[in-house]
Amino acid sequence: MQTKRAGRQTVQLSHPPSVVSFANIGGRMEGQGPLSDYFDELSPDAFFGKKTWEQGESAMQERVLRRALEKGGLTAGELDYVLAGDLLNQCIGTSFGLRSFHIPFYGLYGACSTMGESLSLAALLIDGGFARLAAAMTSSHYCTAERQYRMPVPYGSQRTPTAQWTATASGCCILGAQGDGPYITHVTCGRIVDWGITDANNMGAAMAPAAYDTLRAHFTATATGPEDYDLIVTGDLGLLGHQIVTDLFRQDGVDMTKNYTDCGLLLYHLEKQDMHAGGSGCGCSAAVFNGYLLRGLREGRWKRLLFAPTGALLSPTSSFQGESIPGICHAVALSAAKEGV
Amino acid sequence: MQTKRAGRQTVQLSHPPSVVSFANIGGRMEGQGPLSDYFDELSPDAFFGKKTWEQGESAMQERVLRRALEKGGLTAGELDYVLAGDLLNQCIGTSFGLRSFHIPFYGLYGACSTMGESLSLAALLIDGGFARLAAAMTSSHYCTAERQYRMPVPYGSQRTPTAQWTATASGCCILGAQGDGPYITHVTCGRIVDWGITDANNMGAAMAPAAYDTLRAHFTATATGPEDYDLIVTGDLGLLGHQIVTDLFRQDGVDMTKNYTDCGLLLYHLEKQDMHAGGSGCGCSAAVFNGYLLRGLREGRWKRLLFAPTGALLSPTSSFQGESIPGICHAVALSAAKEGV
């Protein structure tokens, strides 16, 4: 029963599940970014046709799942599980977005690491023989996140230089026991890591230690290093967090400068769009993965990719009560071709 | 790969994971209830020695995991996963409660169904060969839940007759690939069910359709009925929800009156403790399961048990925006003895 485990946090999948279909949706700012061509849908309307921003976020999840099913020629009834969550209190973006599908559902909370967590668990459920097809997805919305975590957008609060921009975006990935790839070969489950950062406007610094912890665990368990991947992509650490991870590895003598980037650096033009430290939110890594990254793998741009979304496990209440900000990061290794494992 | 599935929502475990250890903690009201002898720890202090109620809820999770490890003669380093969540915004009860353990962690949000969801996924990860030992846990706290969902407790708001009492309690169950039982034989994953209930003070009515949906799916997939279980226990439907489930099955010609109860009915003396419709909160089913129910299985009081915690997937924001209350219910079948499967 223990043969699939490779170290404390990593499992090697015995029958690597395949990406069967994927889709993403973005808002106006995402459409003005460098990855705009990699979106299935871009909406200039932040309400997505609904009355409130929260309902708009739910609409994104509903639409992105519908789109991923369509692209894969699948129906909701063929999915054995959907695994999803979001940043909203009680994950209402997910519950209301998915209620009309009637698919067996496990709700997740991994903060902005949710795309990594949902993808990990979907892969494990398939490899374990419990599912033939499973969907992994998440969303975030600039306006719902701002009013929940900071200030309602119309207040026009000044943003600090370390602040990141919560993506208005959603991504969905359908995995299957069969398929033409890319394939999920390894899953590294993160641990909660808290280095005592208390600045709620500096998520990158809070989450970077978790990314470092998970990537290090992954490299150790799989006896690999940065040189074994064509691309390593963390979740939404942004400019500062990406630099911290690079520095931490440098102290270990590991060079991350050649092929390491971050979804928060990829989604927007940082200067031109006035994005400060970069993108954030569950939808940031979800949209980048379910568009730019998966298409790149399919089109042969990369052969082996390590995707490691990060999350900050705080709430406004915990910050008001003087708590620091624990982080988490879940990593998934993908291969364009079927590998002997 | 598909042999473990029995119907749309149910899987039959090929190597039923065993309960290895379990523990629960309750507060003052739980100590005055009929199950007080089934708690490992009862605290008259609602703060659990901390400065805020939220920190108190985290302390419960920390203590209950420590207690379950101790009772099983285990260390945190031996657990391959911990799966947990709670009702607080961004699940901070869990993140802060578990941050000192450094165990690979998947965060869940299943509202009050979280004990069912965490137990389900822990069982699947073990049966899939990804873990040898995994912990499933959750918590709720009367004071943190009240001020988040309704009114801060010191306001002394009047409670409606259909209102339930959020348990101040936590429960942890450690499952293993090996052990002397009880064993988890089947897992039925719930779907989001929304029958349009909008009264946020009537959780029982909102969640009952989901319980009915999941139990019916379980009975169909396993070709069983109420008569095949010594006890069927839903999560925290309370008085009204329990009655609705019984009535819905009666319309199908299925008699649930002989062996069907609900954790929300078991935890308190409804009349004497002025509990209105009964107990609720993630900690309600978690504390009843990880004390009264598992001890009963170990002591031979029941041989086969169906445990089906329920959750209401709402937030104050969704209610303010006129949304109805979707429900979910995850069911786990347990057997005291190892069955040929």
Side-chain angles (χ1 to χ4, degrees):
Chain A
M1 294 286 279
Q2 275 295 59
T3 51
K4 291 176 183 172
R5 284 198 78 81
R8 173 97 174 107
Q9 297 172 244
T10 302
V11 293
Q12 179 172 341
L13 301 183
S14 51
H15 300 90
S18 172
V19 172
V20 168
S21 183
F22 54 90
N24 62 0
I25 293 182
R28 188 170 56 88
M29 297 299 264
E30 294 66 33
Q32 293 169 359
L35 302 187
S36 59
D37 288 347
Y38 292 91
F39 278 89
D40 290 292
E41 186 181 332
L42 287 163
S43 171
D45 170 22
F47 289 93
F48 291 83
K50 303 290 176 183
K51 282 186 186 166
T52 71
W53 285 317
E54 286 76 12
Q55 290 168 352
E57 183 166 350
S58 291
M60 270 200 293
Q61 288 218 19
E62 188 178 338
R63 283 199 215 173
V64 84
L65 175 53
R66 221 172 277 288
R67 184 73 76 134
L69 288 167
E70 271 170 30
K71 285 174 72 179
L74 298 165
T75 63
E78 291 176 86
L79 294 187
D80 295 318
Y81 294 104
V82 55
L83 297 130
D86 59 84
L87 284 177
L88 294 186
N89 295 344
Q90 286 69 56
C91 296
I92 51 168
T94 301
S95 324
F96 290 100
L98 300 182
R99 70 178 152 177
S100 62
F101 290 96
H102 308 297
I103 304 167
F105 166 64
Y106 285 129
L108 310 179
Y109 185 75
C112 302
S113 77
T114 302
M115 195 64 229
E117 183 180 359
S118 58
L119 204 59
S120 296
L121 284 167
L124 299 184
L125 290 175
I126 290 171
D127 190 68
F130 307 113
R132 202 175 57 86
L133 288 164
M137 54 186 288
T138 184
S139 67
S140 61
H141 191 300
Y142 181 74
C143 302
T144 65
E146 285 305 308
R147 79 166 153 202
Q148 185 178 277
Y149 284 104
R150 299 170 196 97
M151 287 289 179
V153 177
Y155 281 13
S157 303
Q158 182 85 359
R159 300 168 66 229
T160 67
T162 55
Q164 295 176 249
W165 186 275
T166 306
T168 298
S170 184
C172 174
C173 184
I174 298 176
L175 297 181
Q178 306 290 331
D180 299 328
Y183 302 94
I184 293 186
T185 60
H186 297 80
V187 168
T188 300
C189 179
R191 304 183 293 183
I192 300 171
V193 178
D194 189 343
W195 282 16
I197 307 288
T198 52
D199 181 0
N201 289 306
N202 192 348
M203 291 295 132
M207 298 188 291
Y212 169 64
D213 189 72
T214 297
L215 291 176
R216 202 173 46 164
H218 179 84
F219 291 147
T220 306
T222 56
T224 60
E227 63 281 5
D228 294 299
Y229 296 90
D230 298 303
L231 194 67
I232 298 165
V233 198
T234 46
D236 53 349
L237 296 177
L239 208 53
L240 195 64
H242 176 267
Q243 190 55 52
I244 296 172
V245 170
T246 307
D247 286 349
L248 288 168
F249 273 110
R250 183 182 295 125
Q251 288 169 22
D252 293 345
V254 176
D255 180 13
M256 294 287 281
T257 59
K258 296 205 175 63
N259 55 355
Y260 165 45
T261 186
D262 181 85
C263 294
L265 293 174
L266 293 167
L267 188 57
Y268 303 111
H269 296 292
L270 297 201
E271 290 299 325
K272 207 168 82 183
Q273 292 187 275
D274 193 25
M275 284 301 173
H276 298 222
S280 73
C282 302
C284 176
S285 56
V288 172
F289 179 74
N290 291 292
Y292 179 64
L293 297 178
L294 284 178
R295 269 177 56 184
L297 276 163
R298 282 215 169 151
E299 291 165 3
R301 194 175 315 157
W302 310 293
K303 284 182 182 164
R304 298 194 75 206
L305 188 142
L306 187 56
F307 175 60
T310 51
L313 302 168
L314 85 164
S315 83
T317 303
S318 67
S319 292
F320 289 150
Q321 295 184 358
E323 290 281 12
S324 53
I325 306 170
I328 195 153
C329 171
H330 299 294
V332 174
L334 293 107
S335 173
K338 212 162 204 165
E339 296 177 4
V341 287
Chain B
M1 294 286 282
Q2 275 292 61
T3 52
K4 292 176 182 174
R5 285 198 78 81
R8 172 95 174 109
Q9 297 173 245
T10 302
V11 292
Q12 177 172 343
L13 301 182
S14 51
H15 299 90
S18 173
V19 172
V20 169
S21 184
F22 55 91
N24 61 1
I25 293 182
R28 189 170 55 89
M29 297 299 265
E30 292 66 33
Q32 292 169 0
L35 303 187
S36 59
D37 289 346
Y38 292 91
F39 278 89
D40 292 290
E41 186 181 330
L42 287 163
S43 170
D45 170 23
F47 289 92
F48 291 83
K50 303 292 176 181
K51 282 187 184 164
T52 70
W53 286 317
E54 286 76 12
Q55 289 168 352
E57 182 166 349
S58 290
M60 272 201 293
Q61 287 218 21
E62 188 177 339
R63 284 200 215 174
V64 84
L65 175 52
R66 221 171 276 289
R67 183 73 75 134
L69 287 168
E70 270 171 31
K71 285 173 74 178
L74 298 166
T75 63
E78 290 175 86
L79 294 187
D80 295 317
Y81 294 104
V82 55
L83 298 130
D86 59 83
L87 284 178
L88 295 186
N89 295 342
Q90 287 68 55
C91 296
I92 53 169
T94 300
S95 323
F96 290 99
L98 300 182
R99 71 177 151 176
S100 62
F101 290 96
H102 308 297
I103 305 166
F105 166 64
Y106 285 129
L108 311 180
Y109 184 75
C112 302
S113 76
T114 303
M115 194 65 229
E117 184 180 357
S118 58
L119 204 59
S120 296
L121 284 168
L124 298 184
L125 290 176
I126 291 171
D127 190 68
F130 307 112
R132 203 176 56 88
L133 289 164
M137 52 188 289
T138 184
S139 66
S140 60
H141 191 300
Y142 181 73
C143 302
T144 66
E146 286 304 308
R147 77 166 154 200
Q148 185 177 278
Y149 285 103
R150 298 169 197 97
M151 287 288 179
V153 178
Y155 282 13
S157 303
Q158 182 86 359
R159 300 169 65 230
T160 67
T162 56
Q164 294 176 249
W165 186 274
T166 305
T168 297
S170 184
C172 174
C173 184
I174 298 176
L175 296 181
Q178 306 291 331
D180 299 329
Y183 302 94
I184 293 186
T185 61
H186 298 79
V187 167
T188 300
C189 178
R191 303 183 293 184
I192 300 171
V193 178
D194 189 344
W195 282 15
I197 305 289
T198 53
D199 181 358
N201 288 304
N202 191 348
M203 290 294 130
M207 298 188 292
Y212 168 65
D213 188 72
T214 296
L215 291 175
R216 201 173 47 162
H218 179 85
F219 291 147
T220 305
T222 56
T224 59
E227 63 281 5
D228 295 300
Y229 297 91
D230 299 302
L231 194 67
I232 297 165
V233 198
T234 47
D236 52 348
L237 296 178
L239 209 53
L240 194 63
H242 177 266
Q243 190 56 52
I244 295 171
V245 169
T246 308
D247 286 349
L248 288 168
F249 274 109
R250 184 183 293 122
Q251 290 170 23
D252 292 344
V254 176
D255 180 13
M256 294 287 282
T257 60
K258 297 204 173 64
N259 54 356
Y260 166 45
T261 186
D262 181 85
C263 294
L265 294 173
L266 292 167
L267 187 58
Y268 303 111
H269 296 292
L270 297 200
E271 290 298 326
K272 208 168 81 183
Q273 293 186 274
D274 193 24
M275 284 300 173
H276 298 222
S280 72
C282 302
C284 176
S285 57
V288 172
F289 179 73
N290 291 293
Y292 179 65
L293 297 178
L294 284 178
R295 268 177 57 182
L297 276 163
R298 282 215 170 151
E299 291 164 4
R301 194 176 314 155
W302 310 293
K303 284 181 183 164
R304 299 193 74 207
L305 188 142
L306 187 56
F307 175 60
T310 52
L313 301 169
L314 85 164
S315 82
T317 302
S318 67
S319 291
F320 288 150
Q321 295 184 359
E323 289 281 11
S324 53
I325 306 170
I328 196 153
C329 170
H330 298 294
V332 174
L334 293 108
S335 173
K338 213 161 202 164
E339 295 177 2
V341 285

